[in-house]
Amino acid sequence: MAISPVAATALAIALAALCLAGLDAGFYLPGVAPNNFDKKDPLQVKVNKLTSIKTQLPYSYYSLPFCKPDTIVDSAQNLGEVLRGDRIENSPYTFEMREPQMRQIVCKISVGEKEAKILKEKIEDEYFVPIKRMDQEGAYFYQHVFHVGAKGQYARSKDEKSFIHNHLSFTVKYHRDAQRDVSRIVAFEVKPYSYAACDLLNNVKHEYEGQWNDKKTRLTTCDPHAKHIITSSDSPQEVEVGKDIIFTYDVDFKESDIKWASRWDTYLLMTDDQIHWFSIVNSLMIILFLSGMVAMIMLRTLYRDISKYNQLGTQEEAQEETGWKLVHGDVFRPPSNSDWLCVYVGTGVQFFGMLLVTMVFAVLGFLSPSNRGGLMTAMLLLWVFMGLLAGYSSSSLYKLFKGAEWKNIALRTAFTFPGSVFAIFFFLNSLIWGQKSSGAVPFTTMFALVLLWFGISVPLVFVGSFLGFKKPAIEDPVKTNKIPRQIPEQAWYMNPIFSILIGGILPFALYPDLHLAAPVLLHLWVLILVITCAEISIVLCYFQLCSEDYLWWWRSYLTSGSSAIYLFLYATFYFFTKLEITKFVSAVLYFGYMLIASYAFFALTGTIGFYACFLFTRLMYSSVKIEY
């Protein structure tokens, strides 16, 4: 058997990869390779944005009067980091590997009216940066925040004051290779303190000798050579106009048994009370019950219907029967507004393809948490490239409906959902700009998004639409009558609005608890979501056809898609009962982003339900004998 040149080249590459794998036991994904440090090697400490659950508006670290390096250098950021509002910059903190430092001075800040106002506002809004905390039993659990400061009262005083965390105690944990005497950093911890006295035993205020110099001044009340790390604060540093704030830090290094490959386990670990096991088991039971119900319908009711219909001797006998067979001449009649149905089905396919490939990449380890912003970047790029599938699916369905203007469908598919989202996003971004927040997407990034949309996504949608329309149309299993059949009066529970709203409850019921679970459970949730959307749509579609109502196209999409309504309502309930957002702009941002998320959820779940009913009806009507 001859081997083509392409196959031979691929085989050679595969053999070379196997040989290289034999030389090295493992490999590292791009951007996540470990760094080895020798003793006294300099360590770069960087700062990120400040954020708050009260405002949802991130700000640059140096938007507050903190100590700054001589030159502020922005780190290169990917698209996902910029969209998240990350602003990674260098800091004045200087470390040397495995060289502890005690009571190091960073700088002194003179607090004027402007500085006091902004610090008090950020403390009031509970802005924060990374920290580690301890639980009541002394075991460590990790949070991603430490607050800029805190509000409190002096003893025997009812006046509430603002106190700033002006001392940071760093702990760098490393895993050392004894043979090469090199180390890899496996953990980085920060504990903040607010104190106006360095000598905690005597409660002495910060004092220094001579003229102030950040690099040379030595505090007379703070001996940097004393082997004592700040562990408590009895005299916190108040934010007050006219007073100076001296920022200091400690750094300690501890050898750890944690290996570099396991450095994220502590942060990703979830306790049993965080994982809602009861809700997960409850959801699984719902799926099993629903699957059993659908299986019963398929194996008993549908089989009985098919057997009965196939045993009818004459057309007169068939006309006396009732049920889904009587609407065989109308069940595949194109629905009203079929163009828009094609557009939204294509959008849902685009979302499903993006979600599926993202899950595969996550399982293979390409979306490491060490690659900040990598997940959002990957999802955005996958959405762009999945425009090919969107155009193909919408155009194929459009041709089934006997449509002729495939370019019109391609244009709507390329602009309907992205255009709506871009309009909302641009409006929200304008509000963020007005607040001078670092979360505002820069003009260059906005231009890059438009370029991805018009330069890649739109052409791919048109290419997919061309290929889908060029493909032969899908043949219906039964012929469609020229004159539509009259639909009999329906029972109240078969009312379209009622059945659609009922159908969206189950897919939504799986969302609120499982979306907070571990990564493996998130994959399980996606699988459960697909099964639930498909089965609830099939069940209600079967009941609808048995009632001789053949207008199932849009209803199959809206039945599972209506779960997005419940998602938005739940977000509204969560806003008023759990969140502490009080500012108008922050509230608009919250509901704006939830509107986008609900819109996307509608397209995804609706498409799953539509294709499930589409395959179900074709299989059902291809199984019976139709007399013409």
Side-chain angles (χ1 to χ4, degrees):
M1 182 178 64
I3 301 178
S4 66
V6 176
T9 303
L11 181 61
I13 294 174
L15 291 175
L18 288 175
C19 293
L20 291 175
L23 295 175
D24 194 356
F27 68 95
Y28 298 103
L29 299 174
V32 295
N35 291 321
N36 296 322
F37 297 94
D38 293 320
K39 190 173 182 179
K40 294 188 176 182
D41 278 353
L43 301 180
Q44 295 183 352
V45 181
K46 298 183 179 182
V47 295
N48 201 349
K49 63 183 178 182
L50 302 170
T51 189
S52 167
I53 61 173
K54 284 190 173 183
T55 67
Q56 307 295 316
L57 290 171
Y59 285 91
S60 170
Y61 183 84
Y62 294 118
S63 64
L64 269 65
F66 288 149
C67 300
K68 300 179 181 179
D70 295 334
T71 302
I72 298 177
V73 180
D74 293 330
S75 299
Q77 295 175 296
N78 56 43
L79 184 59
E81 288 178 298
V82 176
L83 293 177
R84 284 167 24 124
D86 289 339
R87 297 295 182 267
I88 302 175
E89 300 162 315
N90 60 328
S91 74
Y93 300 101
T94 56
F95 297 171
E96 291 183 354
M97 189 65 186
R98 292 157 57 186
E99 290 291 325
Q101 302 177 37
M102 307 300 170
R103 320 263 181 83
Q104 297 297 308
I105 301 172
V106 187
C107 73
K108 176 175 67 72
I109 299 295
S110 298
V111 181
E113 292 185 1
K114 181 180 178 181
E115 289 79 9
K117 179 181 178 182
I118 191 172
L119 283 174
K120 290 180 179 180
E121 286 180 352
K122 295 302 182 287
I123 292 174
E124 176 71 26
D125 291 334
E126 299 181 6
Y127 273 82
F128 48 74
V129 285
I131 191 179
K132 180 197 75 173
R133 290 179 56 189
M134 295 180 63
D135 63 12
Q136 294 180 353
E137 298 179 357
Y140 288 115
F141 71 89
Y142 287 80
Q143 290 188 343
H144 297 279
V145 304
F146 80 76
H147 290 87
V148 172
K151 295 184 71 68
Q153 300 171 342
Y154 288 111
R156 300 177 183 178
S157 175
K158 296 182 179 180
D159 296 333
E160 197 170 40
K161 303 292 184 179
S162 296
F163 301 96
I164 187 172
H165 290 137
N166 60 329
H167 178 85
L168 300 180
S169 181
F170 296 98
T171 301
V172 180
K173 293 185 177 181
Y174 62 92
H175 183 81
R176 189 166 68 93
D177 186 340
Q179 297 180 348
R180 296 185 295 171
D181 196 29
V182 295
S183 305
R184 293 178 178 178
I185 297 177
V186 295
F188 183 80
E189 304 170 2
V190 186
K191 288 186 281 188
Y193 298 97
S194 175
Y195 71 99
C198 190
D199 186 350
L200 297 178
L201 297 177
N202 299 321
N203 199 24
V204 181
K205 299 291 184 182
H206 273 314
E207 296 179 4
Y208 54 90
E209 299 174 341
Q211 297 295 321
W212 178 267
N213 185 300
D214 289 347
K215 300 183 180 298
K216 297 180 180 180
T217 299
R218 175 175 174 179
L219 297 177
T220 58
T221 54
C222 246
D223 183 7
H225 301 289
K227 296 181 180 181
H228 175 68
I229 298 177
I230 300 298
T231 58
S232 63
S233 178
D234 296 329
S235 180
Q237 175 67 58
E238 181 182 345
V239 177
E240 191 175 356
V241 177
K243 288 190 176 181
D244 295 338
I245 300 177
I246 298 177
F247 290 87
T248 57
Y249 71 94
D250 296 331
V251 58
D252 192 20
F253 291 85
K254 293 182 179 180
E255 188 171 356
S256 174
D257 294 331
I258 301 174
K259 294 185 178 180
W260 185 86
S262 304
R263 68 196 187 283
W264 283 97
D265 292 352
T266 305
Y267 300 93
L268 299 178
L269 180 66
M270 301 188 72
T271 57
D272 288 341
D273 58 338
Q274 290 175 295
I275 301 176
H276 301 171
W277 293 109
F278 177 78
S279 298
I280 295 173
V281 174
N282 184 47
S283 300
L284 291 176
M285 293 302 295
I286 292 175
I287 294 302
L288 292 176
F289 175 77
L290 187 60
S291 300
M293 184 171 63
V294 173
M296 180 183 66
I297 293 174
M298 297 299 101
L299 297 178
R300 298 184 60 182
T301 309
L302 188 58
Y303 178 78
R304 182 186 60 192
D305 291 345
I306 294 174
S307 299
K308 181 175 63 176
Y309 290 147
N310 289 337
Q311 290 175 1
L312 294 177
T314 64
Q315 189 170 359
E316 289 76 9
E317 293 178 351
Q319 291 177 348
E320 295 177 358
E321 296 294 330
T322 59
W324 54 264
K325 183 181 179 182
L326 291 182
V327 296
H328 66 84
D330 300 277
V331 70
F332 294 108
R333 186 182 305 280
S336 58
N337 298 316
S338 59
D339 296 359
W340 286 111
L341 179 61
C342 298
V343 169
Y344 278 100
V345 167
T347 301
V349 171
Q350 190 172 7
F351 264 111
F352 188 78
M354 177 197 70
L355 181 63
L356 185 63
V357 177
T358 301
M359 291 173 57
V360 173
F361 281 171
V363 170
L364 295 177
F366 285 96
L367 301 178
S368 170
S370 62
N371 184 13
R372 185 184 292 105
L375 177 61
M376 183 173 292
T377 303
M379 293 180 68
L380 186 61
L381 293 179
L382 286 173
W383 162 264
V384 169
F385 288 107
M386 288 299 164
L388 186 69
L389 297 182
Y392 183 87
S393 55
S394 61
S395 182
S396 300
L397 186 61
Y398 180 67
K399 190 172 185 179
L400 174 65
F401 293 150
K402 305 299 186 293
E405 299 293 333
W406 68 270
K407 294 181 181 179
N408 183 27
I409 292 298
L411 195 66
R412 294 191 198 179
T413 305
F415 286 94
T416 299
F417 181 85
S420 303
V421 171
F422 186 82
I424 298 174
F425 179 74
F426 186 82
F427 171 73
L428 298 178
N429 198 60
S430 300
L431 295 179
I432 300 175
W433 266 331
Q435 297 294 314
K436 298 180 180 180
S437 168
S438 66
V441 177
F443 175 78
T444 53
T445 304
M446 193 74 73
F447 178 77
L449 293 176
V450 174
L451 187 64
L452 287 173
W453 181 14
F454 284 87
I456 301 179
S457 180
V458 173
L460 286 178
V461 171
F462 273 87
V463 171
S465 296
F466 173 77
L467 296 176
F469 196 78
K470 187 178 180 180
K471 180 184 176 182
I474 303 173
E475 295 184 2
D476 294 328
V478 293
K479 295 182 179 180
T480 302
N481 297 332
K482 294 182 179 180
I483 302 176
R485 179 186 181 90
Q486 185 176 0
I487 300 175
E489 185 178 354
Q490 301 293 304
W492 65 269
Y493 52 84
M494 292 305 299
N495 181 275
I497 297 179
F498 179 79
S499 61
I500 287 172
L501 293 179
I502 288 295
I505 293 178
L506 276 180
F508 161 75
L510 305 174
Y511 181 83
D513 293 305
L514 286 179
H515 82 289
L516 295 173
V520 175
L521 295 179
L522 286 176
H523 290 75
L524 178 62
W525 171 79
V526 173
L527 178 61
I528 291 175
L529 177 67
V530 172
I531 295 175
T532 305
C533 291
E535 292 185 343
I536 194 64
S537 297
I538 288 175
V539 169
L540 294 180
C541 180
Y542 175 79
F543 291 156
Q544 179 184 352
L545 294 176
C546 288
S547 300
E548 301 179 22
D549 183 357
Y550 53 83
L551 302 178
W552 64 274
W553 295 94
W554 271 109
R555 195 184 296 191
S556 64
Y557 192 99
L558 298 175
T559 294
S560 53
S562 64
S563 57
I565 299 176
Y566 296 101
L567 175 60
F568 189 80
L569 292 177
Y570 176 79
T572 304
F573 170 79
Y574 188 84
F575 177 85
F576 288 106
T577 58
K578 300 293 183 180
L579 300 182
E580 300 178 1
I581 297 176
T582 56
K583 296 186 177 180
F584 175 75
V585 173
S586 301
V588 173
L589 290 177
Y590 175 83
F591 285 105
Y593 287 128
M594 284 309 306
L595 181 61
I596 294 176
S598 301
Y599 192 15
F601 198 65
F602 166 76
L604 174 64
T605 54
T607 299
I608 295 173
F610 170 81
Y611 272 115
C613 291
F614 181 74
L615 297 176
F616 169 72
T617 52
R618 295 184 66 83
L619 178 63
M620 186 168 63
Y621 282 95
S622 63
S623 302
V624 295
K625 298 177 182 179
I626 305 296
E627 300 292 339
Y628 296 101

